[in-house]
Amino acid sequence: WCMAELTPEYIERMEDVLHLYEKPFDSKEPVICLDEKSIQLLEDIRPVKSARPGRIGKQDSEYVRRGTVNVFCGVEPQAGRHFTWVTKNRKADTFAKIIGRLARAYPGLKTRHLVMDNLNTHKEKSLIDYYGPRKGRKLWSSFTVHYTPKHGSWLNQAEIEIGLLSRQCLGKDRIASIKDLMRRAKAWNRKTNRKRLKINWRFTTVKARKTFDYHKDKN
C-alpha cells in the first residue's frame, strides 16, 4: 500500500471502520459501503470480429470517445447484497438521490451504517440542497456515516465491489452508450444478488496495529 502519514485522525477513522467490520451481522443495523467510478464511453469505428472456433477475435485499435458517465457501487458485505446505479454524473444532487434509494432499500430501520470516502459531495448539505432542510436532515440522520481516512479509501469495501464490476461486467469491452452500460450493470447486479456474493474482509484492528506498528495509546 501507499500509505499516508499515520496521524491520530487517520488511526481514529481507520479503527472506527475496522471496528464496524468486526461486529457480528445484524440485519437491524446493516453495514453498507458506497463508492463511485467514472467510466469512459468508447465506440468502435470498425465492427469487432468475435472469436469463434478456428478464428481469433479481433478489435480495431481505433475508437471514438463518447464522453464519461458514473457508476455508484454499493455493497452490504456481510449479507451479499449489491447495488449498482449508472448515472450521468456524480454531482451533489445525484448523490442525494442515491442516498434516497439506499434508504428505501432498507426501510423501517433505526439506522444504517454507511462507509464512504471524503468526497465533498458526501455530506448532509447535498441532501438538504436537493430534498430541502427538513427532509434532507431527516434522511441523513437515518444513516450513521463512517468516513474512511483521507488517502485511506482502501478501507472502503465498495472499492472491492468496483473491482468486481470492472472485471466481471465491463472487462476489456468498449461500451458506447449509457443505455448499454445500464443494461450490462443491471444484469451483473442481478446475478451477484442471486448468488449473494459476500466479501470476506480479514484486515482487523489487531492486524492494523501490528502492520503499521502503533499502539492504542497513540490513537
Side-chain angles (χ1 to χ4, degrees):
W1 296 323
C2 181
M3 285 292 299
E5 183 183 356
L6 207 64
T7 63
E9 180 184 9
Y10 192 103
I11 292 173
E12 180 181 1
R13 289 194 174 188
M14 177 173 66
E15 293 209 349
D16 173 56
V17 172
L18 292 178
H19 282 311
L20 182 66
Y21 292 162
E22 291 164 18
K23 290 182 177 180
F25 173 72
D26 184 355
S27 60
K28 294 181 180 179
E29 289 192 16
V31 176
I32 309 155
C33 302
L34 182 67
D35 202 358
E36 58 256 69
K37 173 184 176 63
S38 293
I39 296 177
Q40 190 173 41
L41 299 176
L42 304 172
E43 183 176 5
D44 287 302
I45 292 179
R46 298 173 183 83
V48 175
K49 295 182 179 180
S50 302
R52 67 184 187 190
R55 189 178 79 176
I56 298 174
K58 295 182 180 180
Q59 184 179 50
D60 197 278
S61 60
E62 291 189 70
Y63 56 84
V64 178
R65 291 183 175 88
R66 297 300 185 192
T68 58
V69 292
N70 183 73
V71 178
F72 280 92
C73 287
V75 59
E76 187 187 352
Q78 290 180 308
R81 195 172 180 185
H82 307 260
F83 304 93
T84 312
W85 292 298
V86 178
T87 60
K88 292 181 179 179
N89 57 60
R90 61 176 190 179
K91 294 180 180 179
D93 60 339
T94 306
F95 170 73
K97 294 175 187 177
I98 296 301
I99 294 300
R101 291 179 183 180
L102 277 178
R104 290 192 295 274
Y106 295 89
L109 299 180
K110 184 177 180 180
T111 193
R112 312 149 182 89
H113 295 279
L114 183 60
V115 179
M116 299 186 293
D117 63 23
N118 292 273
L119 193 65
N120 61 353
T121 56
H122 294 175
K123 306 295 181 184
E124 182 183 38
K125 184 179 183 300
S126 297
L127 277 66
I128 291 174
D129 290 346
Y130 182 75
Y131 293 107
R134 184 176 179 180
K135 185 176 179 180
R137 290 192 180 100
K138 183 179 180 180
L139 181 56
W140 183 257
S141 66
S142 70
F143 289 86
T144 301
V145 177
H146 303 260
Y147 289 114
T148 58
K150 292 182 179 179
H151 310 295
S153 59
W154 59 272
L155 287 158
N156 188 348
Q157 293 189 54
E159 284 209 344
I160 299 174
E161 183 80 354
I162 287 175
L164 292 173
L165 173 77
S166 298
R167 293 192 301 273
Q168 298 177 0
C169 176
L170 307 180
K172 296 181 180 180
D173 295 343
R174 292 172 184 156
I175 302 175
S177 69
I178 188 171
K179 184 178 180 179
D180 188 27
L181 179 58
M182 285 179 173
R183 178 184 58 79
R184 294 177 64 147
K186 184 177 181 180
W188 179 81
N189 187 253
R190 194 164 49 239
K191 181 179 179 180
T192 53
N193 276 313
R194 276 202 307 265
K195 293 184 176 181
R196 288 290 178 185
L197 297 177
K198 301 178 183 180
I199 297 174
N200 185 16
W201 182 269
R202 296 184 178 183
F203 194 71
T204 64
T205 306
V206 172
K207 288 184 179 180
R209 293 173 183 173
K210 183 177 180 180
T211 301
F212 303 130
D213 192 25
Y214 73 92
H215 302 284
K216 189 177 179 180
D217 57 4
K218 291 184 180 181
N219 193 347

